[in-house]
Amino acid sequence: MHFSKLFLPTLKESPADAEVISHKLMVRAGMIRQVASGIYSILPLGLRVLRKVEQIIREEMNQIDGQEVFLPSIQPAELWIESKRWDFYGKELLRIKDRHNREFCYGPTHEEVITDIVRKEVKSYRQLPILLYQIQTKFRDEVRPRFGIMRGREFMMKDAYSFHADEEDTQYTYKKMAQAYTNIFKKCGLDFKQVQADSGTIGGNFSHEFAVLADSGEDDIGFCESCGYASNLELAESKPPAPPAPLATSEDIKEVETPGQKSVEAVASFLNIPTRQIVKTILFENENGLVAGLVRGDHEINLVKLKNLIGCEWLEPAEEKAISKHPELHCGYIGPIGIDLPVYADCEISTLQSFVTGANKPSTHFTGVQVERDLKIKKFSDIRTVKTNDPCPHCEDGRYQVKRGIEVGHIFILGTKYSSAMKAVYLDQEGKEKALIMGCYGIGVGRTAAAAIEQNHDDRGIIWPINLAPFKVVIIPVNYSNEDLKVVCDNIYDQLQKTGIETLLDNRSDRLGAKLKDADLIGIPLQIIVGAKNLSAGQVELKIRKTNESRLHPYPKFINDIPNVLKEL
RNA sequence: CGGGAUGUAGCGCAGCCUGGUAGCGUACCUGCUUCGGGAGUAGGGGGUCGGAGGUUCAAAUCCUCUCAUCCCGACCA
C-alpha cells in the first residue's frame, strides 16, 4: 500500500474526550472515529488490526472444530421472552419495533438465536457435540460507555456456543476452549491471566475470564505468583483461618456510649482499639428482604460471594427505605446481637476472641462480644474480599497480589439454563428426552486490540505486537521525489510485496520528520529508512519500532533477511 | 440514575466574569526558499459561537429550557 492512497487521518494532538492511552492513540493513529457515545466507525488502519485479531481467533476456533456462522443482529422479542431474558436483561437491551409494531432487540449476545437453531435441527445424541461461533457486531446499551472501543455500546465480539449430551463432554470442550484462548491471546502478544470468574447474568455454574493486566482495566484480579492461582476479586478465595485459640479471658459484654462514632475508623480511634477488633455489620436486600453480613473491621465484604452463599436471585446493598422499616436498626450502630435477620459471617469472625459491634441503639456499641456466647450466625463462610498480601489459599507461603485487568475473554459452562427454558432437547441412547448442555465463550475483538495498545506503547505511539500490526514494514524515503531513492524504495516495496509481507511505502512529499512521526505513531514494527547519504554507501537503515534500535544494512542484499528480522520481533 | 464539567473553524484552545461586527495554534490552498525527526516566509479560504426561546438599541457573552459529549459514582460482562 502506498501511503498517499491510504485513508489515514492521523492527529498530532490527543482528542479532548479521550481518557485512556489506547483510546487516545487509536484516534490519533486514525484507526477509529466516534459517531455517538460508545459507537465508533472503524477506519482502514483500525479495521486491518481488528481483522488480524479475528483471523487469529478463527484459526484457533477452527482448530478445535468450531464452525463459523453469521447470525442476525436484530432478534425477535419472542426468543428473549422464552428465555426469560426479555424482562431480566433490563435497559441494556436495545429494543426496537418494526413497521408492524412487532418487538425486536438489537442482539447483545446470541444464546437465544443459536439455541433456537440447534433445537430445531438437533434431535439425537448422534449429532452432538456441536460448536458454532460468530464474529459480529453486538450492542449493549451500557449506562456509561467509556475508553473508546474498549467499552463501547456497539462492539465486535466473537461468541462461540457449544451443545453437548453430557457434562463430561461439556468439560472437555471447555478445556479445549481455554487452551484455544490461551493460544489466541499469546499470539496477540498479550500479558494475560486466566482467572476464575463469576458467571453473572449470563448464568451457569462454571466460568473463567481472560484478563489482560493493565491499570486501565475495570476488573480487579487477585493472583498468587508462587502457585499461579488467579481469580477475579469477586471470587478470589481467602485462606481459611487457623482454628481459634481457646478463650484467654472471659470478658463480659458491655455497652459503651459512642456518640457520633459511626464508621469503623471512628469507633476504633474513639475506643483506642485496632479496626480488626471491630466487627462490621452490613445490610443487604434481596428478594426475601434484609440480610446481614459480618466481616472484621479491617476487611471488606464481598457482595458476589455473599450472593452465591445465600443463593438468592439478586442482592444489593440495603437502601435507607428498607432499613427504615426496621425501627431497631440505627445506621452506624447496627450489630448482629438482637436483630431479627439472617446473619452471615466471614470465617475470620469465628476466630476472634472478643470484639466490638454496634448495639442497635443510637450512639452505643457493645464491647467484649464473643461469637459462641453472643451471636446467632446462620452460616460462616468466606465472604470477604481479599487484598494484596493476604495469604494465598492454594499454597504454603504465597501472597495475593491485586491488579487491574481488562476482561478480553470469558468462557462459561451454561448447563441447561437456555436449553430447558427454550426446550432444546435431544434423545439419548435409551431414547429418553434430555436438555442439551451448553457452553458459551466470548472474546471482545476490539477490546483485545485496545488492550494490546495499553500494554504496548510509548510516548511516541503504538508499538504493535507483530501479529496484530496493520503492516509489518514501512518504507520511508527521506525524499521520494529524488529519482534514485524512488527507484530503490519501489524495488524494496515490490520485493517485499512478492514475499507476502504487508508493506507500507510512505511516498508522501512530506519531510522526513513528519513521516517518521507517523510511522512511530501507527506502530509499524519495522521501519526501512532510505536516504541519499547511506545509499551512496550502498546502505539503508533498518529501525525497530519497539527498541528504537537502528542499523545500517547493505542494499539490496538485506531484503532477503527481512522475513528473519520480522520473525525475531 | 445521582454528582461534576464542557460545547466557539477539521483538530486543540482563548474570548464569556464586566454585552458593542469572533481570535490564537495547528491543519488546509497558492508562491518562493528549505529537505535525516512534525521547516521558514508571504499571501489566502474556512465559523448558523450545539439548538430553541427570552432580556436588550445590541448577545458567543446575561436568563430559561433543551440536546450532545466527557469525568466521578452506582450498574454490567
Side-chain angles (χ1 to χ4, degrees):
Chain A
M1 173 68 78
H2 283 205
F3 212 123
S4 61
K5 290 184 185 158
L6 188 61
F7 181 64
L8 181 67
T10 58
L11 300 174
K12 246 189 229 185
E13 289 176 284
S14 289
D17 53 10
E19 191 70 8
V20 297
I21 289 156
S22 60
H23 186 193
K24 287 180 188 169
L25 287 177
M26 278 179 144
V27 175
R28 286 192 54 206
M31 295 175 66
I32 59 171
R33 285 293 183 267
Q34 187 177 61
V35 175
S37 179
I39 301 177
Y40 290 83
S41 295
I42 311 291
L43 306 188
L45 196 80
L47 190 59
R48 287 185 84 103
V49 174
L50 295 192
R51 293 278 188 249
K52 300 280 178 194
V53 178
E54 283 180 28
Q55 207 42 45
I56 290 169
I57 293 172
R58 275 199 184 90
E59 281 163 19
E60 291 295 326
M61 288 298 106
N62 295 344
Q63 188 68 37
I64 56 173
D65 296 327
Q67 297 164 76
E68 188 166 3
V69 292
F70 198 85
L71 303 172
S73 49
I74 308 290
Q75 307 175 12
E78 288 78 28
L79 288 176
W80 286 75
I81 291 167
E82 242 190 294
S83 72
K84 308 272 192 293
R85 288 208 294 184
W86 186 256
D87 294 323
F88 197 68
Y89 218 99
K91 289 191 175 172
E92 297 251 304
L93 189 62
L94 181 67
R95 292 152 216 258
I96 42 187
K97 285 184 181 169
D98 71 4
R99 58 165 64 194
H100 303 290
N101 223 26
R102 287 184 287 239
E103 291 199 284
F104 289 84
C105 64
Y106 195 108
T109 168
H110 287 70
E111 280 85 8
E112 282 79 1
V113 169
I114 202 91
T115 305
D116 181 54
I117 294 171
V118 170
R119 71 176 166 181
K120 284 175 174 159
E121 311 306 332
V122 171
K123 302 290 166 204
S124 157
Y125 72 94
R126 291 176 206 273
Q127 294 166 281
L128 299 172
I130 295 172
L131 175 59
L132 301 173
Y133 73 95
Q134 46 150 190
I135 302 178
Q136 287 180 240
T137 296
K138 310 205 175 194
F139 192 95
R140 295 180 193 169
D141 200 354
E142 298 271 355
V143 187
R144 182 144 105 85
R146 54 183 131 176
F147 303 160
I149 63 168
M150 194 128 103
R151 187 188 172 95
R153 292 191 292 173
E154 187 177 81
F155 55 98
M156 205 185 286
M157 184 169 182
K158 185 280 300 185
D159 252 329
Y161 306 92
S162 68
F163 298 84
H164 309 267
D166 58 53
E167 188 70 36
E168 195 188 337
D169 192 48
T170 316
Q171 292 279 353
Y172 178 71
T173 295
Y174 186 87
K175 278 179 195 140
K176 281 205 299 187
M177 192 59 78
Q179 183 56 52
Y181 271 44
T182 301
N183 299 343
I184 289 166
F185 296 123
K186 264 191 197 158
K187 284 188 183 172
C188 289
L190 294 167
D191 176 19
F192 66 97
K193 289 195 181 298
Q194 177 178 340
V195 309
Q196 189 178 295
D198 188 56
S199 50
T201 48
I202 292 278
N205 35 35
F206 196 64
S207 113
H208 285 89
E209 202 176 289
F210 289 77
V212 169
L213 298 181
D215 292 337
S216 55
E218 298 182 87
D219 273 1
D220 287 306
I221 308 295
F223 60 94
C224 167
E225 299 250 306
S226 331
C227 70
Y229 172 72
S231 174
N232 189 303
L233 216 59
E234 292 175 344
L235 294 188
E237 301 155 26
S238 312
K239 188 162 194 156
L247 282 183
T249 50
S250 180
E251 204 178 327
D252 286 338
I253 192 165
K254 246 189 292 180
E255 267 188 25
V256 289
E257 297 227 348
T258 51
Q261 314 300 319
K262 294 194 170 190
S263 69
V264 166
E265 286 70 29
V267 174
S269 65
F270 184 78
L271 297 176
N272 199 22
I273 53 169
T275 52
R276 52 183 298 155
Q277 226 172 300
I278 295 175
V279 165
K280 282 198 266 203
T281 307
I282 301 122
L283 296 181
F284 295 90
E285 206 177 342
N286 65 13
E287 63 270 23
N288 301 316
L290 289 180
V291 300
L294 305 185
V295 292
R296 229 168 61 187
D298 57 331
H299 288 151
E300 289 300 322
I301 196 155
N302 183 314
L303 191 127
V304 173
K305 286 183 182 177
L306 183 59
K307 173 172 178 286
N308 292 341
L309 174 68
I310 300 172
C312 48
E313 282 286 313
W314 54 273
L315 187 72
E316 280 169 17
E319 292 187 14
E320 295 224 358
K321 252 195 225 161
I323 297 176
S324 61
K325 283 183 199 156
H326 294 252
E328 75 277 19
L329 300 176
H330 307 278
C331 279
Y333 305 98
I334 297 170
I337 301 174
I339 53 171
D340 188 22
L341 299 174
V343 178
Y344 299 88
D346 185 65
C347 301
E348 286 296 327
I349 303 290
S350 64
T351 68
L352 293 177
Q353 295 271 346
S354 141
F355 48 88
V356 172
T357 71
N360 296 314
K361 202 165 142 188
S363 302
T364 312
H365 279 80
F366 286 131
T367 62
V369 181
Q370 287 171 9
V371 176
E372 292 282 320
R373 185 189 63 198
D374 306 319
L375 301 189
K376 268 185 223 141
I377 304 296
K378 183 151 182 180
K379 242 184 217 171
F380 281 101
S381 185
D382 170 17
I383 58 167
R384 73 174 197 274
T385 301
V386 301
K387 296 182 296 215
T388 294
N389 273 330
D390 279 0
C392 170
H394 291 284
C395 64
E396 272 302 295
D397 301 315
R399 296 264 157 189
Y400 265 113
Q401 277 192 60
V402 176
K403 285 194 176 162
R404 304 289 278 175
I406 301 166
E407 179 191 356
V408 288
H410 203 152
I411 59 179
F412 305 82
I413 287 181
L414 294 174
T416 57
K417 173 173 168 166
Y418 296 91
S419 53
S420 342
M422 299 180 66
K423 299 189 185 62
V425 296
Y426 69 99
L427 292 180
D428 70 8
Q429 294 177 55
E430 276 113 48
K432 265 196 221 154
E433 194 171 82
K434 283 188 177 163
L436 289 160
I437 299 175
M438 294 174 59
C440 84
Y441 321 89
I443 291 179
V445 175
R447 193 182 275 191
T448 299
I453 296 176
E454 291 292 328
Q455 281 189 345
N456 301 282
H457 67 271
D458 60 18
D459 53 0
R460 299 199 310 274
I462 302 169
I463 304 171
W464 285 115
I466 190 76
N467 290 327
L468 299 191
F471 296 93
K472 304 278 185 265
V473 177
V474 56
I475 303 169
I476 306 172
V478 169
N479 181 358
Y480 193 65
S481 57
N482 174 318
E483 191 60 26
D484 294 342
L485 297 189
K486 180 175 184 304
V487 168
V488 169
C489 287
D490 289 350
N491 180 37
I492 299 171
Y493 179 75
D494 289 341
Q495 295 218 41
L496 291 179
Q497 286 289 95
K498 259 183 229 157
T499 327
I501 294 170
E502 292 160 296
T503 304
L504 188 59
L505 170 57
D506 198 340
N507 60 338
R508 296 176 299 173
S509 58
D510 295 59
R511 297 158 68 89
L512 179 69
K515 292 189 273 198
L516 290 171
K517 289 282 188 207
D518 271 344
D520 286 344
L521 175 62
I522 66 176
I524 310 303
L526 184 63
Q527 302 174 359
I528 300 174
I529 302 161
V530 183
K533 248 186 234 163
N534 287 329
L535 196 61
S536 64
Q539 293 183 311
V540 297
E541 177 182 341
L542 255 62
K543 195 157 127 193
I544 313 286
R545 171 65 181 90
K546 189 173 184 171
T547 57
N548 208 26
E549 173 191 359
S550 159
R551 272 198 207 145
L552 294 175
H553 291 255
Y555 171 84
K557 196 171 148 284
F558 84 100
I559 299 175
N560 298 323
D561 299 333
I562 297 288
N564 290 326
V565 175
L566 289 175
K567 250 180 229 163
E568 282 167 28
L569 292 179

